[in-house]
Amino acid sequence: MCCVFVGDVNCMTQSLTSPPPPFLCHSLFDSVRQQQQQQRQQQRAPGRPWSSRRRPGPGTDWTLLAEDWEDRQEEEEQQEERAGRPARSTSWLTSNTTARSVLPPDYDMLEKPRSPVPGQPLKVSLSLKVRDIQDINEEHMELATEMFLRFYWTDSRLIPPETLKPGQWFNLHPAIFDQMWKPITFVDHMKGLRIYKLISPASSLRMQSDGFIRYSVLLTVTIVCKMSFRDYPFDSQHCVFHLEDYSYRTEEVVYEWEPPGIEVSPDLTHDHYDIRVEVLATQNYSHHTMSFPALEFHVNLQRRLSFHLLQTFIPSALFVWVGWLSFLVPPEVVPGRMVLTITTLLTLTAMFNAVRAESPKASYAKAVDIWMAGCVLFVFFALSEYVIVIRMMAVAEKKKKKRERELRERELSASNAARPIRVNGGKVAPNDSTESETRSNGTSTPCSHEVAWDVMASRLERFVLYAYPITFLAFNVAYWCYYLFKHSYFSDS
């Protein structure tokens, strides 16, 4: 039986004693299709644009509308051919059919391609371009990097188009990538992976006439980056991207960098870090008794100091110098000097707490903690020195009053001893032993072992006035030289 349905034409059935030849149904179908097209051409009014001939609406025959669209595409292709331009491919199915024709019928996606060099492992090359550092999470120690990742390998089983010349690239639909053999690559210590997609995934698949494959994809990789904040804010972090094959050993597959290897976008900047990418040579990693191919590159993050200089170091240093200015206030002005010193100490303590709240959380002392603790100690030393001076002055005043009181008492006793003694109304000579004892005691001058506390207080004030700034300058030289030279802030790199 051969049955053909044509619009309103009934099914024409022809009984045959033997099965009809295959070309019979095709010829009937073609002839009826030609009659349909001629009828539609006669029904259309000449000169009317396609957009005004048939519009969808209530009761629209969608079959006729689709047929009009097909005729419109054929007519536009004929016009382009007459104009000398190649016909456009307006159907996705045509492109997909071309992509499917690349895979032979017996293609096995689980079978590794043969190496172009007999007896050698299959070479898989990688290259990437770092576009942006999207996030540096110091609390969770994570680094999110946006990059173009490209894979290159040769699969000689693929069938390239006949028109493809050597060295030319042929674009394949990325959907075919799921049906091809591909290297099983993973990123060590990866916490997240994001492939961008608007209408379809941001990826491309190309091939050359010899089966050389290039697969490129835009993605964001989030890895665990082990960070140390002992030298914060002079710290530099080194994040390792380790790409390794999960399935094939080094005897089967080798990884290499495809020139230029790793590129960095010229717009790659960060507010708090200077970023530098370091490429390492091909490495193989051994697990137990097997070795797997791998590639590795580092993202070095050097923290910038400008923000911390203006926010922490310069203001705290100025408060230390304000503590030194308190030594210029006379010790006798207790309210003014005490208020100035205590206010400076409280301000530095509040700043210290704010710096610790903004810095990364760690169980050890950081470089900024050492600096702030040093500044607080200097101001606390100024306050302690003033308390000692006040105490020495109070002791000196107390000693002075005690000596004055003892002197008055002895003078009074001496004057009493110099008077004549009356016995039964008579006069007796003065007591010479008492007078000589008074003179021998030397009450008019202090003893040699007594300390002049007021003199010592003035000497201490004069000493600290010069020792305080010199000690703070020495602390600065040791602190800055150690951390700046340790992290090579003065080197060209």
Side-chain angles (χ1 to χ4, degrees), residues 159-179:
I159 304 174
E162 298 179 356
T163 58
L164 186 62
K165 298 179 181 180
Q168 290 184 345
W169 290 102
F170 178 70
N171 291 325
L172 300 176
H173 197 278
I176 197 178
F177 188 68
D178 297 333
Q179 306 173 12

Side-chain angles (χ1 to χ4, degrees), residues 137-190:
N137 193 327
E138 296 177 346
E139 181 179 359
H140 298 92
M141 296 187 181
E142 296 176 357
L143 175 67
T145 306
E146 180 184 349
M147 65 180 73
F148 287 111
L149 183 59
R150 310 179 189 95
F151 291 86
Y152 304 85
W153 72 92
T154 302
D155 194 345
S156 58
R157 298 173 297 176
L158 302 181
I159 304 174
E162 298 179 356
T163 58
L164 186 62
K165 298 179 181 180
Q168 290 184 345
W169 290 102
F170 178 70
N171 291 325
L172 300 176
H173 197 278
I176 197 178
F177 188 68
D178 297 333
Q179 306 173 12
M180 295 173 51
W181 179 91
K182 58 187 74 66
I184 306 177
T185 307
F186 73 98
V187 180
D188 198 13
H189 300 293
M190 182 177 67

